[in-house]
Amino acid sequence: MPTLTLAQDPDADAVLSANPLALLIGMQLDQQFPMERAFAGPALLTERIGEITTEKIAGYDHDELVAAFTGPPALHRYPKSMAERTQAVCRVIVEDYDGDVTRIWTEAADGEDVFRRLNALPGWGTQKAQIFTALLGKQCGLELEGWRDAAGSYGDEGSRRSIADVVDAATLAEVRDFKQAQKRAAKEAKAAKA
């Protein structure tokens, strides 16, 4: 795994860079929550429960896992539901991939297969699966044929659409500006229809 700068914090980014499950959990948390805080979540979780593995989280006591997500500080705006989703994802990985999260992409036939496997995870949808596919391709060395197509516009070279494009503070600001522009455009379109 390369050295990532998604959380904009050296210690949190070290956890993401060393542990593929932490990276997947960061993507899980990247929803209705600031990107860099979502990707800092796995480091906080590691501090609270020790090294994070699929087997550990899959079998973790529900209430204790919710408490670990709740903090303070909370790992997410909705810590209980995110703890439950993360546990559900880990259980699927244990059942379908023998606990090895990397098998989702290392054993995939092509980029579309990576996307399909990610999209099948509990709580994941098209957009989250496309963004993570783009992140794997742009920053984690995924070289499977078709990954850019599977990632949709998130796979575009030089784009600033998602966490897949964040490599430093400047690109984080560019991605944030893009997302805010998208929200403004959506509000304007909705207002025009009213």
Side-chain angles (χ1 to χ4, degrees):
M1 293 275 294
T3 301
L4 301 167
T5 57
L6 308 177
Q8 303 291 299
D9 171 87
D11 294 335
D13 284 323
V15 172
L16 298 173
S17 300
N19 185 339
L21 176 61
L23 186 61
L24 188 87
I25 291 171
M27 189 73 235
Q28 177 80 31
L29 297 173
D30 186 15
Q31 178 177 323
Q32 298 179 323
F33 202 58
M35 290 177 289
E36 65 276 22
R37 287 194 53 206
F39 282 90
L44 281 174
L45 186 60
T46 300
E47 286 176 18
R48 293 172 186 170
I49 70 170
E51 182 183 1
I52 51 178
T53 67
T54 53
E55 292 86 354
K56 179 188 267 186
I57 294 173
Y60 217 78
D61 177 81
H62 173 270
D63 293 339
E64 289 180 20
L65 188 62
V66 169
F69 270 70
T70 302
L75 268 63
H76 193 271
R77 184 174 166 185
Y78 304 108
K80 182 178 187 285
S81 64
M82 281 300 170
E84 291 167 349
R85 285 185 190 173
T86 300
Q87 190 166 50
V89 165
C90 287
R91 287 177 175 160
V92 166
I93 294 167
V94 167
E95 188 173 311
D96 295 350
Y97 301 100
D98 294 323
D100 184 354
V101 68
T102 66
R103 288 181 57 194
I104 294 172
W105 53 91
T106 60
E107 295 181 356
D110 55 24
E112 183 60 36
D113 194 24
V114 173
F115 164 79
R116 183 189 56 73
R117 291 167 177 228
L118 291 167
N119 197 37
L121 294 174
W124 285 54
T126 299
Q127 186 177 39
K128 191 173 289 292
Q130 285 179 323
I131 292 169
F132 199 75
T133 300
L135 179 58
L136 291 170
K138 289 180 173 183
Q139 297 197 45
C140 300
L142 181 70
E143 295 180 358
L144 288 175
E145 183 177 330
W147 74 261
R148 284 191 190 274
D149 290 335
S153 58
Y154 299 105
D156 292 349
E157 186 86 42
S159 68
R160 295 291 184 261
R161 305 179 74 85
S162 73
I163 197 71
D165 304 310
V166 174
V167 294
D168 54 27
T171 51
L172 175 64
E174 290 171 11
V175 168
R176 183 162 282 123
D177 289 346
F178 174 82
K179 288 179 174 247
Q180 289 172 347
Q182 293 292 99
K183 287 179 184 177
R184 279 193 304 276
K187 281 183 182 178
E188 290 168 7
K190 188 175 179 181
K193 285 183 179 180

